[in-house]
Amino acid sequence: MAAVQWHSRVRRYVAEKQSCGLEVASVEFGDYHPLKSITVTDSKSRRGARKGSTSSSSSSSSSVAMDPLSCMMDGTDPLSMFAAASASEPHLTLPHSISSGRKEKEDEVAVDFEPWSSKRGEILARFTTTEKLSINLFMGSDKGKAPCPGSSAVSEKVRTRLEELDDLEEGSQRELLNLSQQDYVNRIEELNQSLKEAWASDQKVKALKIVIQCSKLLSDTDVIQFYPSKFVLITDILDTFGRLVYERIWSMCSDPHPLPGTGSDEVNDTAKETCLNWFFKIASIRELIPRLYVEIALLKCNCFLTKCGIQKTLPRLTAMIRGIGDPLVAVYARAYLCRIGMEVAPHLKDSLNQNFFDLLETFRQIHGDSVQNQLVLQRVEIPVYLTLYSPAIHWILQCVSYRAPESLLTEMMERCKNLGNNALLLNSVMWAFRAEFIATRATDFIGMIKDCDEAGFPKHLLFGSLGRSLACADPPEAERLPILNEAWKVITKVRSSQDYINCAEIWVEFTCRHFTKREVNTVLSDIIKHMTPDRAFEEAYPQLQSVIRKILTYFHDFSVLFSMERFLPFMDMFQKDSVRVEVCRSIMEVFINALTLDDDKRSLALLINGFIRMVSFGRDFEQQLSFCVEARATFCNLEPVLVQLIHTVNQLAMETRRVMRGSHSRKTAAFVRACAAYSFITIPSLTSIFSRLNLYLLSGQVALANQCLSQADAFLKAAVSLLPEVPRSVSIEGKMRSSEGFLLDFINNFLSTLLVVPDHPEAGVLYLVRGLLNMVQDYTWEDNSDAKVQVYVSALPLLAAMSQETYLYCIPKVDSNETLYGGDPKFVAEINKLCETLIGQVLDHLKILGRDESVRRQSSLAFSLFGCLLAHGDLRNNKLNQLAVNLWNLSHKHGYCDTQTSVRTLEFIKHLAQQPNMLHISDMVQRLILQSRT
C-alpha cells in the first residue's frame, strides 16, 4: 500500500457557520398558521476560504455547522508512537499512568510492597520528645568560594575541593543547644533547603558538606527517644542528595540516555569520570557513619560504572555497618541500606538477609553495660527503649520477607529461638511475613511467645500480631480451638482495659470466622466483663464498633445474632447517642440488604432518588455535600441511588461555580475538588461498567468546566483504563445484548471531549488520544466486526479539528492545545503522522473485507472514510485526492451504496466545486462514478 500523506484542511468555523445559515423566507400574514409547515431553503451563498485552502463546510447536505467529531470514521491502529517515524507499523505508546497489564520485572517492586513514604509520617508522629536537642550547623568558609578565573587548572580545583572537605572536619561549624523538637525540625528543613540552593548554584562541594554534616547527627543518641524521627529527617536530606547526584550523572550520558543498570558499555567517559569523582570524595570522609550514609545515598550511581557495581557494593556496605558500636545506630543504618537496596536492586536478596542476620548478632549488645548505662543516664526504661527499634526492624524484615520463600521464615524462627525468643524480633517477624506462612506455624509461634521474657515486650502485643495474621489466613483446622484457647488465656489477664480491647478486637474476627455463636457469645461476655468497670467502654467506642462489624460480617442470620444472650448487653455499652444510632443503622443495613429482592430494591431506589432530588440546603453547598456523603454510606448497596448521588454532586459543583463566580474563588475551587473526590471514590463501587464509564466521562467534563485540570485528567485516564474490562455482551432488561453499540457511542462522546483537554506537561503529545487508541486496539471485539476501524475513522475528525489554529469550541479559562501549542508545525506534523497511520489501518481492513467477499461491509466503510476525507482532508494534495476518488468508486463498485445518499452527496460535491479556488474538487468530480447493482 502506498503511503498516505494526510493534511487537514484549514477551517474557518465562524465563516462556515454563517455560510450554512438558513435564509428567512418572507411569509404573508394571511398565509401564516402555527400548524402550517414552513419551507426553509438552503443558503446559496458560500463564504470564501483563505487563500490556498478549501472551503467545504460539511460532508453532508445538512445546513447545520458540522461538529468535527460527529462524522463516523474508522480508525487508527493504536500502532503509532510518533517518535518512531521510521517504523513501518509504529505502535502508539501508552503512558504508564493508564497502561494496564505491565509485566513485573525481577528487579522491580510491585504495588504489594508498602513504600517507606507510608511509614514516614507515623514515625514522626510517634517518636517525639520534650527534651532539649542540639545540632551542629555548617558555617561556611572562604575556602568554599569559587576559585578566581586565573586558577582554573584541574589540579588546582582538586586541591581546593579537598581543602574544603578538610575544612568541614576541622571545625568550620557551630553547635546550637537547647532546641525544642520543632526548632530542631526547622533547622533540618533549613539544611535541606540549603542543600538544594547550593546544588542549584553549582556549589557541589558545599552541598556535600551539608550532607556530611547531617549524616554525623545520626551518631548522636543523646535524646534517644527522638532518634527514629531524627533518622527520618536526616535520610530525607540524603535522599535528596542521592537523587541530585544521580540525575546530574545521568544527564551527562550521551543520548539516548541509558537506563539504570545498563552498565558501563552505554555510559560515556565524562559520566563515568564524574561518578568516580563523587565516590573518591566520599572515600575521603574520615568518620565511618557519614561516609557510610553518603555512599548508601549514592548506591544507585554504581550502575554508571559497571553492570555488577551495585551487587559488589552491597556486601561491602553491609560489612561496614558491623563497625558501628551502638546497636540502635547500627539497626537504623541497616534499615537505610535495605531501603535504598530495595529501590535499586530488590532482587539481590543475599545482602538483605545478611543485614538481618547481622542485626540478630548485635541484639546481645542491648543488655551490655554501654547501653544500660546510657539508658540509666537518660532515665529510659528498657520497654520504651526496645520500641525505638521497631520501625527499623519492621522495615528490614519487610524487605527480607518480600516474596521470600516459606523456608526463609523457618530459618528466621530458628535464629530467633537461638537468640532466646526475643519478643521484639518475634513481633516483627509476624508482621513482615505472609499471613499464610504465619498461619501454618501458628502453634509454633504460640510456643515461642510463651518462652519470651515479658519484661521488655508484653505478650499480649505478640498475640495481637499473631491474631492479625490469622484474620487473613487460616491455620490447620485441628489447631484452631487450641490456638483460640491459648490466645484468650493471655488476653483475659491483661489489666489495662485499653490494651485488653485492642487485643480482643483483633481476635474477635478469628473467633467469628471459625466458630459458632457459642464461642462468640463467650468472647462477648469476656469483653463486657473487662469494659464495664469504671465505664471503660466510653474510651473504646471505635474498638467496640469494630467488634460489631466483624460479627455482622460472619453472621447474616438475624435470629442467630439475637439469640446470643450477651449480644444485647454488649449493645448496651454504646451509651453515646450518635454512636448507638450508627451501630443500629449498620445492623439494619446488613439484614435489609441481605433479604431485599431485586424488584424491591429497584422500587426503593426510585423512591429514595426522588427524595434526594428534593433535598436542598440552599447556598449551604458544604451541607449539601455532607448529605450526599451520608446518603452514600447509608445506601451503598443500592446502585441506582449511588448513580443519582454522583449526578447530584456534579450538578452541585456546577451550581457552586455559577453562584460563587468572582467571589471566594479559592474556597470554591476547594469545594469543587471535594466534589470531584466524592465522584472519584464512589464510581468504582458501581457494578455496571457503562455506568462507570459514563460517570467518569461526565465527572471529567464537570471538572474541566470548573478548571480542575488534574481532577479531569484523573477521571479521563480512569475511563480509558476501564475500557478493556467492557464485556462483549451486557444484560438489558434480562436479555443479553452486544455491548458494541454502547461502547462505540461512549468512545465517540469521549473523543468529542478530548478536543478541549490540554495535554499533560509530563505525558507527551496527545497522550490521552494515543492511550484510548491503544485500548481500542487491544480490546477483543466481536468476530466479523468493523467496530475497531470505525473508531479509527471517528478519531480523524478530532485530529483534524486539533490541527486548526482556532478550535471549534473551548472551555472558558481552560487553555486547550490550540493555546499550548499555538499551531506549532511539530504538533501539526505529529497529528498528520497519526492520521496517516489511522487511514492506513482502515485501508488494510478494506482489503481484508475484499478478500473475504464482505463487499457490503466494505462499501459502507469505504463510503464512511470518503466522507471523512471530503469533510476534513485537504484534497488539494494529489494523493489524498486520488484516495478519496478510489474510496468513492470502491463504495459503489458492487452497488451496495444507498443510491439516494450517493446522489445527494454528489450534488453537494458539484455545488462545492463551483466555489472559488475549488479546481481540485472540479477535477475530482469528473472521476466519481455512480454505479448501481444490477
Side-chain angles (χ1 to χ4, degrees):
M1 180 189 70
V4 178
Q5 295 182 356
W6 170 270
H7 297 279
S8 302
R9 73 180 183 90
V10 177
R11 306 293 294 268
R12 299 278 190 176
Y13 292 118
V14 175
E16 288 182 27
K17 183 177 181 181
Q18 293 174 351
S19 68
C20 292
L22 299 178
E23 292 181 350
V24 178
S26 59
V27 180
E28 294 295 333
F29 179 78
D31 295 336
Y32 173 75
H33 188 278
L35 300 181
K36 185 177 180 179
S37 59
I38 300 177
T39 302
V40 181
T41 59
D42 286 348
S43 172
K44 302 301 182 182
S45 61
R46 299 290 182 186
R47 304 283 181 175
R50 70 181 180 184
K51 185 176 181 180
S53 69
T54 62
S55 60
S56 171
S57 62
S58 171
S59 63
S60 72
S61 58
S62 172
S63 60
V64 181
M66 189 64 147
D67 186 324
L69 308 176
S70 62
C71 269
M72 276 202 58
M73 339 233 143
D74 290 314
T76 268
D77 190 341
L79 308 171
S80 125
M81 174 75 195
F82 47 83
S86 62
S88 58
E89 290 187 5
H91 190 284
L92 293 173
T93 300
L94 184 65
H96 291 305
S97 58
I98 55 178
S99 61
S100 60
R102 183 172 60 90
K103 187 177 181 181
E104 293 170 7
K105 296 181 180 179
E106 177 190 35
D107 57 349
E108 294 179 354
V109 293
V111 293
D112 58 340
F113 184 81
E114 185 179 7
W116 172 258
S117 57
S118 66
K119 303 176 182 294
R120 181 182 177 281
E122 178 187 350
I123 295 173
L124 291 174
R126 179 182 175 189
F127 296 97
T128 59
T129 184
T130 56
E131 299 287 332
K132 295 299 181 181
L133 301 161
S134 63
I135 188 173
N136 292 328
L137 282 182
F138 170 63
M139 298 301 294
S141 74
D142 293 336
K143 295 178 183 179
K145 295 180 181 178
C148 61
S151 59
S152 58
V154 175
S155 58
E156 180 67 20
K157 289 182 178 179
V158 173
R159 186 177 65 81
T160 302
R161 289 179 176 178
L162 290 175
E163 288 177 354
E164 289 173 343
L165 291 176
D166 289 340
D167 178 57
L168 173 67
E169 303 197 16
E170 289 170 3
S172 113
Q173 49 192 322
R174 68 170 178 170
E175 187 174 24
L176 297 180
L177 304 174
N178 299 321
L179 297 176
S180 68
Q181 177 179 315
Q182 188 57 49
D183 291 337
Y184 188 93
V185 172
N186 292 341
R187 295 292 184 182
I188 295 297
E189 290 177 352
E190 289 174 7
L191 285 173
N192 200 354
Q193 186 60 34
S194 297
L195 166 65
K196 296 175 183 178
E197 292 173 357
W199 191 272
S201 60
D202 203 29
Q203 299 181 61
K204 303 298 188 295
V205 173
K206 179 179 179 182
L208 179 58
K209 287 182 179 182
I210 294 173
V211 175
I212 295 172
Q213 186 86 32
C214 294
S215 301
K216 284 185 176 183
L217 298 176
L218 291 174
S219 61
D220 176 17
T221 56
D222 285 348
V223 183
I224 204 164
Q225 304 98 311
F226 186 64
Y227 191 86
S229 292
K230 180 197 293 186
F231 170 80
V232 169
L233 296 170
I234 299 300
T235 52
D236 283 349
I237 296 178
L238 287 161
D239 292 343
T240 300
F241 180 70
R243 175 178 55 81
L244 291 172
V245 174
Y246 178 83
E247 290 177 354
R248 172 174 170 76
I249 300 173
W250 185 80
S251 68
M252 300 173 77
C253 297
S254 57
D255 291 329
H257 296 313
L259 295 174
T262 54
S264 59
D265 294 341
E266 294 83 2
V267 180
N268 59 31
D269 291 340
T270 303
K272 284 184 182 180
E273 182 180 357
T274 303
C275 186
L276 282 172
N277 285 341
W278 277 109
F279 284 117
F280 290 153
K281 291 174 185 176
I282 295 170
S284 69
I285 301 174
R286 297 170 184 173
E287 296 184 27
L288 171 62
I289 289 178
R291 184 169 73 250
L292 175 68
Y293 270 100
V294 176
E295 186 170 0
I296 293 174
L298 301 190
L299 179 63
K300 190 176 181 180
C301 295
N302 281 277
C303 67
F304 294 113
L305 301 178
T306 62
K307 289 185 178 180
C308 56
I310 295 175
Q311 186 174 359
K312 291 181 179 179
T313 304
L314 278 172
R316 177 173 58 80
L317 294 176
T318 299
M320 284 176 63
I321 298 177
R322 296 169 189 161
I324 299 177
D326 190 308
L328 183 65
V329 176
V331 74
Y332 276 94
R334 297 190 187 285
Y336 188 58
L337 178 58
C338 290
R339 176 158 78 82
I340 302 302
M342 281 297 288
E343 291 176 4
V344 302
H347 58 289
L348 300 178
K349 293 290 188 181
D350 290 344
S351 294
L352 296 173
N353 296 344
Q354 189 58 53
N355 270 284
F356 179 72
F357 297 150
D358 287 353
L359 164 65
L360 296 181
E361 296 300 323
T362 62
F363 251 84
R364 295 185 174 89
Q365 297 176 308
I366 292 177
H367 301 288
D369 292 342
S370 176
V371 173
Q372 294 300 319
N373 291 339
Q374 184 183 28
L375 297 183
V376 171
L377 184 63
Q378 296 194 38
R379 297 188 297 277
V380 175
E381 299 293 333
I382 190 68
V384 174
Y385 176 68
L386 288 177
T387 61
L388 303 179
Y389 286 80
S390 295
I393 296 177
H394 275 19
W395 178 259
I396 294 172
L397 273 169
Q398 179 182 326
C399 297
V400 168
S401 64
Y402 180 65
R403 297 187 176 176
E406 193 170 359
S407 58
L408 183 61
L409 174 59
T410 304
E411 184 178 356
M412 295 292 182
M413 293 174 68
E414 289 301 320
R415 289 179 180 261
C416 286
K417 288 178 182 178
N418 295 337
L419 199 63
N421 288 335
N422 182 281
L424 178 62
L425 284 173
L426 193 60
N427 186 65
S428 296
V429 168
M430 289 188 289
W431 268 92
F433 279 87
R434 288 174 55 185
E436 294 84 356
F437 296 169
I438 304 297
T440 57
R441 292 168 168 74
T443 301
D444 295 335
F445 275 106
I446 287 178
M448 295 174 68
I449 292 172
K450 287 181 177 180
D451 294 338
C452 286
D453 181 10
E454 197 169 12
F457 203 94
K459 289 184 179 180
H460 70 84
L461 296 179
L462 296 173
F463 273 103
S465 298
L466 178 60
R468 287 187 182 91
S469 295
L470 298 183
C472 303
D474 301 332
E477 186 173 356
E479 299 178 12
R480 293 171 186 172
L481 185 57
I483 288 172
L484 179 63
N485 287 333
E486 291 293 339
W488 215 264
K489 285 179 185 177
V490 175
I491 296 170
T492 194
K493 293 178 182 178
V494 177
R495 295 183 179 181
S496 166
S497 59
Q498 195 63 42
D499 290 341
Y500 167 83
I501 193 60
N502 287 338
C503 195
E505 178 256 329
I506 295 171
W507 279 88
V508 163
E509 182 161 3
F510 178 79
T511 309
C512 295
R513 185 169 177 163
H514 298 296
F515 300 99
T516 65
K517 69 174 185 178
R518 176 175 172 272
E519 289 78 11
V520 176
N521 192 65
T522 302
V523 169
L524 292 179
S525 178
D526 194 66
I527 293 176
I528 294 170
K529 175 183 174 182
H530 281 80
M531 302 307 295
T532 301
D534 300 325
R535 299 178 67 83
F537 55 79
E538 292 182 341
E539 303 298 325
Y541 282 140
Q543 292 88 341
L544 296 176
Q545 285 179 276
S546 177
V547 170
I548 286 291
R549 285 194 297 270
K550 291 174 179 178
I551 293 175
L552 294 175
T553 300
Y554 293 95
F555 290 87
H556 296 159
D557 191 327
F558 193 83
S559 59
V560 170
L561 182 66
F562 284 92
S563 65
M564 297 182 197
E565 58 185 41
R566 307 307 295 167
F567 183 76
L568 290 177
F570 183 87
M571 290 288 296
D572 289 339
M573 289 193 292
F574 295 102
Q575 296 188 9
K576 186 177 180 180
D577 289 343
S578 60
V579 177
R580 188 178 185 86
V581 169
E582 183 66 27
V583 171
C584 292
R585 184 170 65 175
S586 64
I587 294 173
M588 292 303 298
E589 284 177 354
V590 169
F591 292 107
I592 290 176
N593 290 335
L595 301 176
T596 302
L597 299 175
D598 288 341
D599 288 343
D600 292 337
K601 282 185 177 181
R602 281 193 289 269
S603 177
L604 288 171
L606 288 174
L607 294 173
I608 294 169
N609 284 345
F611 169 74
I612 290 173
R613 286 191 289 268
M614 294 174 64
V615 173
S616 173
F617 291 87
R619 292 198 174 187
D620 191 346
F621 299 119
E622 293 183 357
Q623 185 63 35
Q624 188 90 23
L625 182 59
S626 297
F627 165 77
C628 291
V629 172
E630 293 182 10
R632 178 180 62 190
T634 304
F635 306 113
C636 58
N637 287 315
L638 291 175
E639 184 157 316
V641 176
L642 295 180
V643 172
Q644 176 61 48
L645 287 169
I646 296 171
H647 281 289
T648 300
V649 169
N650 279 321
Q651 292 170 359
L652 184 61
M654 296 302 295
E655 181 67 12
T656 304
R657 177 66 67 176
R658 184 186 67 81
V659 172
M660 304 297 290
R661 183 178 299 165
S663 61
H664 309 293
S665 56
R666 290 186 179 179
K667 183 177 180 181
T668 303
F671 182 79
V672 171
R673 288 194 293 269
C675 291
Y678 178 98
S679 299
F680 198 78
I681 292 170
T682 309
I683 292 173
S685 64
L686 303 177
T687 58
S688 170
I689 193 164
F690 281 104
S691 292
R692 279 181 279 161
L693 283 172
N694 290 320
L695 288 172
Y696 273 135
L697 179 56
L698 172 64
S699 301
Q701 292 167 340
V702 170
L704 268 178
N706 286 281
Q707 299 98 51
C708 296
L709 300 186
S710 59
Q711 286 76 15
D713 191 60
F715 280 118
L716 297 179
K717 286 192 292 188
V720 172
S721 299
L722 191 60
L723 288 177
E725 301 177 23
V726 175
R728 293 176 62 175
S729 59
V730 291
S731 177
I732 305 294
E733 297 181 352
K735 297 181 180 180
M736 298 304 295
R737 293 179 55 187
S738 171
S739 63
E740 198 170 272
F742 299 101
L743 185 54
L744 288 175
D745 287 344
F746 170 78
I747 291 175
N748 285 331
N749 192 5
F750 192 91
L751 287 171
S752 67
T753 302
L754 292 183
L755 179 63
V756 293
V757 178
D759 280 342
H760 194 285
E762 298 177 0
V765 178
L766 302 178
Y767 84 107
L768 271 175
V769 177
R770 295 173 185 276
L772 174 65
L773 295 174
N774 272 343
M775 293 301 182
V776 169
Q777 180 198 22
D778 296 336
Y779 183 74
T780 304
W781 298 92
E782 293 184 13
D783 297 335
N784 299 320
S785 169
D786 302 324
K788 179 166 68 174
V789 289
Q790 287 174 1
V791 174
Y792 294 165
V793 176
S794 296
L796 289 173
L798 167 67
L799 295 169
M802 283 184 165
S803 67
Q804 305 301 315
E805 292 183 1
T806 303
Y807 285 1
L808 177 60
Y809 47 84
C810 63
I811 295 179
K813 298 182 181 180
V814 173
D815 290 336
S816 54
N817 286 339
E818 67 171 334
T819 303
L820 296 181
Y821 297 110
D824 184 271
K826 293 182 180 179
F827 175 64
V828 176
E830 295 299 341
I831 292 176
N832 291 341
K833 289 179 185 177
L834 188 54
C835 289
E836 290 165 8
T837 304
L838 296 176
I839 295 173
Q841 292 298 314
V842 179
L843 296 179
D844 287 344
H845 188 73
L846 287 172
K847 290 181 180 179
I848 294 173
L849 293 178
R851 290 196 299 266
D852 295 343
E853 297 184 355
S854 302
V855 291
R856 185 185 294 272
R857 289 163 52 200
Q858 185 190 57
S859 173
S860 175
L861 181 59
F863 194 78
S864 178
L865 182 56
F866 168 79
C868 179
L869 298 184
L870 180 65
H872 304 286
D874 186 356
L875 297 183
R876 291 172 302 171
N877 179 278
N878 292 333
K879 290 187 177 180
L880 203 60
N881 192 301
Q882 183 59 48
L883 175 60
V885 172
N886 293 343
L887 288 169
W888 171 277
N889 294 335
L890 178 62
S891 65
H892 290 78
K893 181 177 180 181
H894 299 285
Y896 284 107
C897 200
D898 181 72
T899 304
Q900 185 177 4
T901 302
S902 299
V903 170
R904 293 180 61 188
T905 303
L906 190 57
E907 290 176 354
F908 170 77
I909 299 173
K910 290 178 179 178
H911 175 76
L912 193 63
Q914 297 173 5
Q915 306 303 314
N917 300 320
M918 290 293 174
L919 181 60
H920 57 286
I921 300 294
S922 301
D923 294 339
M924 185 179 75
V925 171
Q926 305 303 320
R927 292 175 287 158
L928 300 182
I929 301 172
L930 271 179
Q931 186 174 354
S932 60
R933 181 160 53 101
T934 58

